[in-house]
C-alpha cells in the first residue's frame, strides 16, 4: 500500500524537535490532496525522513492523535482521519511571562466595561454563569498610535470585583489577574485563525470591510482547570504577527 508523503523541513535545534515535526506533519496532512493516500509511513520511516529519533517521532504522532488528525492501529499502521479539518488548535509552548510580554508595549484605550449576559461565543467556558464582566479595549502601536487590534475580555464576576478598569489601560489583563487580583493562573491556551474584518473591526482598526485579520482567542485557566478569563482579539493582518519562542527545558 502506498503511503502518504509528508513535506521535508529543516529543524531548528534550539526548539523542541517533536513540536516542529508534529506541526510540519500536521500542515502536510491538512494541505493534502484528496487523492493522497491516508496511510502514513511507519514510525521508523518518518523518523528517518525528519532526521529524529523514533522516540521523538512517537511523541509528535501522539500530539496529532490527540488532535484527532490521525488514528493508530497496532499491526495495521497509522492513518490520516479522512474527516480531518483545518482549524484544529495548534498548541503553542510558552510561559505566562511570555504571554504578558506579548501583550505589552501598546497604547490602550478602554472603550467600555461592565456586566453582560454570557455571549454565545464564549458560553462553553462559563457553564452555569448567567453574567460575566466585559472589558473592551482598543490598542495601538506605541510609537505611531495607529490601531492594531481591539480586544474583549470576558472575566468571572468574582474576579472582576477586584479589577480597577484603569489598570487595564496600563497593563495586560493577564498581568492584572496575576499580580493585582492574585488569581491562580495554571495555563493559557491560544488559538489564532484567519478571518475577514466585520463592520465593527473595520471601523475600529481603520481597514476595509472584509479585509484579512487575525482572530485570537485566549483562555486563562486556574490550576484546577476552571476558565477565569476569555480574551477575544481581532488583529490587523497587515500590522501584526505572532512570534512564539519555545524552550526545550
Amino acid at each position: 500500500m502506498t503511503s502518504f508523503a509528508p513535506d521535508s523541513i529543516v529543524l531548528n535545534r534550539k526548539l523542541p524537535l517533536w513540536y516542529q515535526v508534529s506541526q510540519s506533519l500536521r500542515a502536510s496532512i491538512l494541505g493534502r490532496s484528496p487523492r493522497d493516500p491516508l496511510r502514513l509511513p511507519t514510525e521508523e520511516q518518518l523518523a528517518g525522513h525528519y532526521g529524529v529519533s523514533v522516540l521523538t517521532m512517537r511523541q509528535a504522532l501522539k500530539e496529532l492523535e490527540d488532535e484527532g488528525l490521525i488514528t493508530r492501529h497496532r499491526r495495521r499502521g497509522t492513518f490520516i482521519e479522512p474527516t480531518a479539518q483545518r482549524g484544529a488548535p495548534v498548541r503553542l509552548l510558552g510561559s505566562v511571562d511570555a504571554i504578558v510580554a506579548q501583550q505589552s508595549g501598546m497604547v490602550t484605550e478602554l472603550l467600555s466595561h461592565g456586566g453582560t449576559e454570557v455571549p454565545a461565543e464564549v458560553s462553553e467556558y462559563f457553564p452555569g454563569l448567567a453574567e460575566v464582566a466585559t472589558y473592551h479595549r482598543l490598542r495601538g502601536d506605541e510609537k505611531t498610535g495607529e490601531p492594531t487590534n481591539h480586544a474583549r475580555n470576558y472575566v468571572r464576576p468574582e474576579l472582576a470585583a477586584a479589577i480597577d478598569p484603569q489598570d487595564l489601560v496600563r497593563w495586560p489583563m493577564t498581568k492584572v489577574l496575576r499580580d493585582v487580583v492574585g488569581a491562580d493562573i495554571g495555563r493559557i491556551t491560544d488559538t489564532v485563525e484567519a478571518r475577514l474584518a466585520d463592520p465593527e473591526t473595520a471601523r475600529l482598526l481603520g481597514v476595509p470591510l472584509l479585509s484579512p485579520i487575525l482572530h485570537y482567542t485566549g483562555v486563562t485557566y486556574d490550576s484546577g482547570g476552571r476558565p477565569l478569563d476569555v480574551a477575544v482579539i481581532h488583529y490587523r493582518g497587515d500590522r501584526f504577527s505572532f512570534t512564539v519562542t519555545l524552550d526545550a527545558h
Side-chain angles (χ1 to χ4, degrees):
M1 180 185 294
T2 303
S3 296
F4 177 74
D7 297 333
S8 297
I9 59 170
V10 176
L11 296 173
N12 182 339
R13 295 291 165 174
K14 293 182 179 180
L15 304 180
L17 299 181
W18 69 265
Y19 178 81
Q20 296 177 74
V21 170
S22 72
Q23 296 313 308
S24 173
L25 186 53
R26 180 181 185 277
S28 295
I29 289 172
L30 293 177
R32 74 192 186 284
S33 163
R35 298 182 297 277
D36 288 339
L38 294 176
R39 183 171 185 168
L40 289 179
T42 65
E43 287 181 351
E44 291 78 9
Q45 290 170 331
L46 285 170
H49 174 78
Y50 286 110
V52 298
S53 70
V54 172
L55 185 62
T56 295
M57 193 66 239
R58 194 167 295 156
Q59 188 175 4
L61 290 172
K62 184 179 185 307
E63 179 80 0
L64 299 180
E65 185 179 25
D66 289 346
E67 282 189 33
L69 295 181
I70 63 173
T71 55
R72 309 176 75 185
H73 304 276
R74 191 174 181 182
R75 296 191 178 91
R76 288 183 53 217
T78 301
F79 296 83
I80 298 169
E81 276 295 314
T83 57
Q85 297 292 322
R86 297 180 185 274
V90 180
R91 184 165 62 155
L92 304 178
L93 304 182
S95 65
V96 172
D97 286 324
I99 297 294
V100 170
Q102 172 189 290
Q103 298 171 344
S104 299
M106 298 181 187
V107 176
T108 301
E109 177 186 355
L110 183 63
L111 299 178
S112 64
H113 66 90
T116 184
E117 184 178 344
V118 179
E121 67 175 327
V122 298
S123 60
E124 65 180 290
Y125 302 109
F126 299 108
L129 284 184
E131 186 176 277
V132 289
T134 303
Y135 301 88
H136 187 197
R137 290 169 293 161
L138 180 64
R139 301 187 292 195
D141 183 270
E142 191 173 32
K143 294 181 179 178
T144 66
E146 181 182 43
T148 59
N149 68 89
H150 76 99
R152 279 189 174 88
N153 287 81
Y154 303 97
V155 182
R156 300 186 71 88
E158 66 271 23
L159 297 176
I163 293 177
D164 179 348
Q166 290 307 307
D167 283 342
L168 295 174
V169 175
R170 296 180 291 169
W171 299 317
M173 176 64 82
T174 306
K175 179 176 176 62
V176 171
L177 287 175
R178 185 187 65 178
D179 299 342
V180 178
V181 178
D184 171 28
I185 296 179
R187 63 186 173 92
I188 298 173
T189 63
D190 292 345
T191 302
V192 183
E193 57 185 302
R195 289 199 183 177
L196 301 178
D198 57 33
E200 179 187 43
T201 296
R203 176 179 60 81
L204 289 173
L205 302 187
V207 298
L209 184 64
L210 302 182
S211 60
I213 61 166
L214 295 177
H215 178 87
Y216 164 96
T217 304
V219 186
T220 300
Y221 298 86
D222 65 16
S223 57
R226 183 184 66 158
L228 305 176
D229 163 56
V230 179
V232 178
I233 309 175
H234 295 89
Y235 291 94
R236 280 187 62 158
D238 61 343
R239 293 290 187 276
F240 205 94
S241 63
F242 279 87
T243 300
V244 182
T245 301
L246 300 98
D247 191 336
H249 302 289

